[in-house]
Amino acid sequence: MSTFNVPTREEVSANNQAIFDNLNKALGFVPNLYATYAYSDTALENYLNFANAKTSLSAKEKEAVNLAVSQVNECLYCLSAHTAIGKMNGFNDEQILELRAGKASFDTKLDALARLAKNVTENRGKASQDVIENFFAAGYTKGSLIDTIVLVGDKTISNYINNTTEIPVDFPVALPLETATV
């Protein structure tokens, strides 16, 4: 059982309190994972800056990566959050389940991206050459490859924080992939 509680605004630094206030204004709440980052005086701000940095990937592409990586890393919190965000970005339930499985039969380019994200995560950065070649054949560039790997790292950090702290999920809980027919 986790020894981590989700810190409240009063329990975090003044800098993190200001970030909590901004998150409340923007989202209407502070997600538990973000609040957990705030145990550190610097990690929440650093993470948000990194997560919101410019990238060659679209919002939908980022969600495809986030879903595939979170599935490999078995992070229920991130799967739940990115299922909700994926829906906000236009994916339906079946598409989200496919992306979690590391594929996308509904879109050739997203399929190559999801396969790469899954492969990089499963192989701890040692992607298979055929997966990389398929990624490039789908129209992605070397810059896109680097941006995808950076996003895999970004999502892995959140997955590891949640998997270590076991903080409560404050999004509609994603169903186990095994219960779905993909």
Side-chain angles (χ1 to χ4, degrees):
M1 200 58 159
S2 175
T3 58
F4 282 82
N5 295 319
V6 178
T8 64
R9 185 183 184 285
E10 294 71 32
E11 296 173 313
V12 301
S13 69
N15 184 55
N16 283 332
Q17 287 178 1
I19 295 171
F20 277 29
D21 293 344
N22 288 335
L23 287 167
N24 265 317
K25 287 177 192 164
L27 306 175
F29 75 113
V30 176
N32 287 343
L33 183 62
Y34 287 178
T36 303
Y37 270 96
Y39 272 114
S40 164
D41 290 341
T42 56
L44 178 58
E45 181 176 19
N46 291 341
Y47 174 74
L48 291 173
N49 286 336
F50 189 57
N52 293 316
K54 289 182 182 179
T55 179
S56 63
L57 301 175
S58 70
K60 285 185 97 160
E61 289 170 323
K62 287 174 69 173
E63 288 316 307
V65 172
N66 290 334
L67 288 160
V69 172
S70 296
Q71 184 66 50
V72 171
N73 289 329
E74 299 177 359
C75 181
L76 181 60
Y77 186 97
C78 294
L79 285 169
S80 300
H82 290 289
T83 293
I85 297 167
K87 287 178 182 178
M88 292 173 11
N89 278 285
F91 292 122
N92 65 37
D93 290 329
E94 292 86 18
Q95 292 170 334
I96 287 169
L97 291 170
E98 274 198 57
L99 292 167
R100 286 175 54 187
K103 57 187 177 180
S105 65
F106 57 92
D107 184 298
T108 306
K109 193 167 182 182
L110 284 177
D111 186 67
L113 177 65
R115 288 180 187 278
L116 176 70
K118 179 181 181 184
N119 188 263
V120 166
T121 307
E122 287 177 333
N123 295 309
R124 299 182 343 186
K126 297 176 184 162
S128 301
Q129 194 59 41
D130 61 322
V131 173
I132 295 170
E133 288 171 12
N134 185 52
F135 180 78
F136 290 140
Y140 287 105
T141 65
K142 290 178 181 176
S144 307
L145 176 69
I146 300 305
D147 284 345
T148 300
I149 295 168
V150 167
L151 184 54
V152 168
D154 166 26
K155 188 45 47 198
T156 298
I157 292 167
S158 289
N159 295 163
Y160 285 11
I161 288 175
N162 179 73
N163 288 348
T164 299
T165 62
E166 300 178 339
I167 48 108
V169 176
D170 51 354
F171 291 89
V173 177
L175 295 175
L177 189 58
E178 307 80 57
T179 65
T181 55
V182 182

